Amino acid sequence: MAALIAENFRFLSLFFKSKDVMIFNGLVALGTVGSEELFSVVAFNCPCSPARNYIYGLAAIGVPALALFLIGVIWNNHTWNLVAECHKRGTKNFSAAATFLLFGSIMGRAAVAPVTWSVISLLRGEAYICALSEFVRPSSLDKFPAEYGAETLARFPCKDVPANLTRFRDDVTRRLRYESQLFGWLLIGIVAVLVFLTKCLKHCCSPLSYRQEAYWTQYRSNEDKLFRRTAEVHSRILAAKNVKQFFGFVALDKEEKELVQEFPVEGVQPSPQWNAITGVYIYRENKGFPLYSRLHKWAKGVEGNGPSPEGHEMLFLAS
């Protein structure tokens, strides 16, 4: 029984490790849902005034979505790899397909939070009702009093209307909520189709088998973790060495003393080495052997950024 439980836990660990991007996107979506709910409760307050309603309603949907999109672009490592690539090497070695894949990866990941925000806002309907209530044609409402116009319709989201207009307010609210939720469900459907087509296109155009692609993903994840961990230890030991040289001693705890003794650091990596392992990387092969990252390419001593007669570059961006 214990072995079965351990095996199940091991399976779940491997599953979630292989689905880290999906889980991250799910957490981003859940966080966005919670933020939107909190915003609707404590911050959303329709002005119920002609002209202002439309601007406020669109801003309540669009501005947070734009902010979330920009945050997603900033947090994406591909963004800064692209900046480093353009700064150090330019884009002359990128084909149109590689450029499209790179921007698609950046924009796709950054769009998770803003799309979630927009969908939840549309399904709730408050912002849509606020924005468009004043544009409802009075003639479309059965027996709507002629003395009331757009100014009165603009006050419908606030429920501050004469008693004889309560029925019309309910009709307008119901109609606009229906339209808002319809657009929300359509947006969900469009996004789902796009995600499905993108996944199909990715696997159809990939030069790698499914198993090799999974191995590449595992390699990049492990390389990144080991690189970050080693860089943290290296920088700590180097800092301790420099502090000791300045003061004549360095105050280290037990763990740090063990690190200094176990991993002696003699120097630092020159800038050309850092530049060689920094930037956008597209899967390539050299003499039939795969190179899974810029660090792997540097370790193998492969020079240059573009394809060579003995090297074959495959235009498949790391996800």
Side-chain angles (χ1 to χ4, degrees):
M1 184 64 181
L4 179 61
I5 295 176
E7 186 66 25
N8 288 333
F9 273 112
R10 189 179 299 111
F11 169 77
L12 290 174
S13 175
L14 292 173
F15 174 81
F16 285 116
K17 184 177 180 180
S18 66
K19 304 295 182 180
D20 54 348
V21 174
M22 181 179 68
I23 294 173
F24 177 78
N25 290 339
L27 292 176
V28 170
L30 289 176
T32 306
V33 171
S35 301
E36 205 283 336
E37 291 291 335
L38 181 62
F39 171 81
S40 298
V41 172
V42 302
F44 185 81
N45 188 16
C46 185
C48 294
S49 174
R52 295 179 181 177
N53 281 15
Y54 183 70
I55 297 175
Y56 185 84
L58 292 184
I61 298 176
V63 173
L66 176 61
L68 291 170
F69 177 78
L70 294 177
I71 292 173
V73 172
I74 292 172
W75 278 358
N76 195 324
N77 290 333
H78 286 327
T79 301
W80 307 115
N81 284 334
L82 176 61
V83 172
E85 186 74 22
C86 293
H87 177 66
K88 297 296 181 182
R89 306 177 186 89
T91 58
K92 59 182 181 299
N93 293 310
F94 283 175
S95 67
T99 303
F100 174 79
L101 286 172
L102 177 60
F103 278 101
S105 174
I106 295 174
M107 299 303 171
R109 293 187 183 183
V112 174
V115 168
T116 303
W117 179 278
S118 301
V119 166
I120 298 301
S121 297
L122 290 172
L123 292 180
R124 288 182 61 88
E126 282 86 352
Y128 187 90
I129 293 172
C130 177
L132 297 181
S133 62
E134 64 181 284
F135 297 105
V136 175
R137 291 183 295 107
S139 59
S140 66
L141 302 173
D142 186 31
K143 299 180 181 180
F144 186 79
E147 62 270 22
Y148 297 109
E151 184 174 353
T152 302
L153 291 170
R155 300 191 64 83
F156 278 10
C158 297
K159 302 180 181 180
D160 183 17
V161 296
N164 63 325
L165 297 181
T166 301
R167 177 175 64 87
F168 299 105
R169 175 180 59 78
D170 293 340
D171 289 342
V172 170
T173 301
R174 189 180 305 109
R175 180 190 304 179
L176 293 178
R177 191 179 301 277
Y178 154 76
E179 294 177 359
S180 179
Q181 292 183 349
L182 178 62
F183 289 140
W185 290 119
L186 287 176
L187 181 57
I188 291 176
I190 291 172
V191 170
V193 171
L194 288 177
V195 170
F196 172 75
L197 293 178
T198 301
K199 294 292 288 185
C200 291
L201 182 64
K202 173 185 174 182
H203 288 290
C204 289
C205 298
S206 173
L208 307 179
S209 67
Y210 176 79
R211 291 186 179 276
Q212 187 178 7
E213 186 178 337
Y215 176 84
W216 183 23
T217 301
Q218 293 173 350
Y219 171 84
R220 287 185 291 109
S221 176
N222 290 326
E223 181 190 83
D224 182 66
K225 291 176 183 177
L226 291 172
F227 188 91
R228 290 176 182 272
R229 190 187 312 160
T230 305
E232 196 277 332
V233 173
H234 186 281
S235 62
R236 186 185 303 182
I237 296 174
L238 181 62
K241 180 179 178 181
N242 293 335
V243 171
K244 181 178 181 180
Q245 184 174 356
F246 183 83
F247 287 106
F249 73 97
V250 58
L252 300 174
D253 57 28
K254 182 179 179 181
E255 179 184 357
E256 290 172 334
K257 289 179 180 179
E258 293 176 353
L259 287 175
V260 171
Q261 293 175 357
E262 185 176 359
F263 305 109
V265 173
E266 300 299 334
V268 296
Q269 289 68 33
S271 293
Q273 288 187 10
W274 287 103
N275 293 337
I277 66 171
T278 303
V280 176
Y281 185 75
I282 300 172
Y283 176 82
R284 67 187 67 204
E285 293 183 357
N286 180 259
K287 298 180 180 179
F289 293 96
L291 299 173
Y292 291 118
S293 68
R294 283 198 170 276
L295 181 60
H296 190 190
K297 175 186 172 185
W298 174 85
K300 291 296 184 180
V302 179
E303 300 293 338
N305 192 45
S308 59
E310 66 273 4
H312 179 59
E313 182 182 76
M314 297 189 177
L315 301 177
F316 182 66
L317 184 69
S319 59

